[in-house]
């Protein structure tokens, strides 16, 4: 969160320092990577990212796994890519798990960009 705040106020150097320190401690994730790249960090220079481990049966496991998938696959600020990430989670991750995800996908997803704030 600190790196994103530094990036938001235009202090890219401090944002990169925070992400790098977090990555060295195994605390960087997909959001950290997005901040890193947005601030000019070379993609290959960041240590391997930590992945969340949310098991089915944990409270809100499906929702947390959906959030993880969206943060790791969607483009920030791109509503269509967020919708596509939610759809792909429901189509690729949940089948065979006895879990379901109700979303406005396919043609209904066209409504989201039309009503989202710019």
């Amino acid at each position: 969160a600190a790196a994103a705040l530094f990036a938001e106020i235009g202090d890219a150097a401090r944002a990169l320092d925070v992400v790098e320190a977090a990555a060295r401690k195994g605390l960087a994730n997909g959001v950290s990577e997005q901040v890193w790249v947005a601030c000019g960090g070379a993609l290959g220079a960041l240590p391997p990212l930590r992945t969340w481990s949310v098991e089915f049966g944990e409270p809100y496991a499906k929702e947390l796994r959906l959030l993880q998938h969206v943060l790791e696959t969607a483009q920030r600020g791109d509503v269509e890519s967020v919708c596509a990430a939610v759809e792909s989670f429901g189509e690729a991750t949940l089948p065979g798990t006895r879990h379901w995800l109700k979303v406005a996908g396919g043609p209904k997803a066209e409504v989201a960009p039309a009503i989202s704030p710019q």
Side-chain angles (χ1 to χ4, degrees):
L5 291 173
F6 283 130
E8 221 174 285
I9 64 169
D11 194 342
R14 286 181 75 185
L16 290 171
D17 289 343
V18 170
V19 172
E20 186 175 25
R24 281 195 307 266
K25 294 179 181 179
L27 301 174
N29 59 22
V31 175
S32 307
E33 183 178 57
Q34 289 181 2
V35 171
W36 178 264
V37 172
C39 290
L43 193 54
L46 197 59
L49 301 178
R50 174 180 160 212
T51 57
W52 296 347
S53 179
V54 179
E55 302 298 324
F56 282 114
E58 292 182 36
Y60 303 102
K62 179 175 59 177
E63 292 83 357
L64 290 170
R65 293 180 71 209
L66 170 61
L67 175 61
Q68 174 187 8
H69 180 77
V70 170
L71 290 173
E72 291 176 353
T73 61
Q75 290 291 339
R76 183 177 183 181
D78 181 350
V79 175
E80 290 179 19
S81 93
V82 171
C83 289
V86 171
E87 282 188 61
S88 73
F89 176 82
E91 293 170 351
T93 306
L94 292 179
T97 63
R98 296 181 53 198
H99 292 268
W100 56 273
L101 183 68
K102 184 171 179 145
V103 297
K108 294 177 185 173
E110 295 173 13
V111 173
I115 62 171
S116 70
Q118 296 299 322

